[in-house]
Each structure stands twice: as C-alpha cells, then as structure tokens.
Amino acid sequence: MSSDLTRIANLIRLSSQALPVGGYAYSSCMESAVYNGIVKDHVTALQWISDLFNFGLSALELPALFLSSDAWDKNEPNVIDSLNEYLQANRETEEILLEDVEMGKSLARVLQQIDAGSPIFKEPSFVTEFAIAGAHWRIPVAELAAGFSFNWIENQVLVVTKSLPLGQSKAQWLLEKMIPQISEGVDRSERIAQKQQKYEWKFGRSLPGVAILSAQHEGIEGRLYRS
C-alpha cells in the first residue's frame, strides 16, 4: 500500500503546476486565441481546449510519451533521442518549439538534481523527460499519460481564467468537462504508439490554424505569456 501511495504522490508531483519547469510562462497559443476573439467565454474555451487535446496532444505528445517510456525501459537512449528530434521537427513555430525544449531542459535539470538518472540530451523534449521521470518513479505509462494530460489541461484552464478572465466556478466547469476526455485520449494515443516502427515515426498531425495564431503571438502588445 505504501509503495502505491508513493507512486500516486509522485504522479501528482509530476503533474503539478508547481513543478519548476516554467510551464506557467507558456499558454500553448491560448493567449493568441483569446486575443483574436476565438476564445471569449467558458464555452468557446472548452471547444478550444478539447480540440487541441484530441487533435494535437493525443496525436503527437501522448504517443511519444508511450514510445519514450518503452525505450527507457529497454535502455534505448538512441530511440529517445530520435523521438526528441521528431517532436521538434513537428513544432510549426519557434514559440511552440521553445516551449517544448525549454521545459524539457528544466525538467532534465530537476531530474539530475534528484539523481533520477536522466541522460543529457542536447535538445530534450518535455515529453521525453516526463517519460524518464515516470520510469524513475515506476509510474505505469498509462497513468503517466493521464498525468501529463491533466498538467496540460490545467495549464490551459489557468491561462484562460486569467486572460478573459473567468471565475473559479467556470474553471472547475472546464475541468469537469475535460477530465472525462483524458482516458479516451490516452487509449487512442497508446494505439497510435503500438503501430509505430523505430526511427520511422508516423504520428502527429498539422494544425495550420494553431500555427498561424502562434506565429502572430509575438506581435501581441503587452502579452503575458511566451507562447
């Protein structure tokens, strides 16, 4: 029982917004969506978050998390390095790329400080470092993917709550609507990962509208977030 509770506590630790990786500084394009009037209330916020989760995160990041976890279990750092390169090649703007890499480097530093055994990759992705952290604490990968999903969803809710602003009740409404989608997204991403062949990755999809909004973000006057 104690080992199970420790594992759960470490999953919460990894999924917490208090994890010192700088996630609070990034909006993953939410700020640009608010600025352009696409997200203007809790209903449109739900549509935005749901679409990005189902067509973005669960199509690219979550399959990569499954693949990275498997590679780490098999002591295949070259596979993780290949996944780092693939993830970064799929980042359609500089801001999205920097968000992933800077958070990845920050998490890598945390893991090194606590002797979690993280190898030093030149340009680590937050996704692959998250997988390594999960392996260190023996968190089953499906649970790890659920924690990764919640971390991203909660950050989106926090950003829109501050940006519109929304009240805390509406923020909880958003979480209530998004949490049931996590299990479906994790299951879908696991199936995608199972179809992959090493070094011949074929997953993820382009989101042109998000890419355009992300490219425009740097021109927003008085922006609060880095992406």
Side-chain angles (χ1 to χ4, degrees), residues 115-189:
D115 297 323
S118 174
I120 300 175
F121 295 109
K122 183 178 179 181
E123 297 290 337
S125 166
F126 181 60
V127 179
T128 56
E129 291 296 327
F130 203 92
I132 291 169
H136 174 72
W137 285 310
R138 302 183 184 278
I139 301 170
V141 65
E143 294 180 13
L144 188 68
F148 186 93
S149 300
F150 182 80
N151 175 275
W152 180 85
I153 289 168
E154 185 181 39
N155 185 63
Q156 287 284 281
V157 171
L158 289 173
V159 171
V160 76
T161 301
K162 294 176 183 177
S163 299
L164 281 179
L166 289 179
Q168 289 300 321
S169 294
K170 290 293 192 299
Q172 289 301 313
W173 180 87
L174 285 169
L175 290 174
E176 180 70 15
K177 296 297 184 182
M178 284 304 306
I179 285 174
Q181 298 185 37
I182 290 177
S183 61
E184 294 179 8
V186 170
D187 289 345
R188 186 166 58 249
S189 65

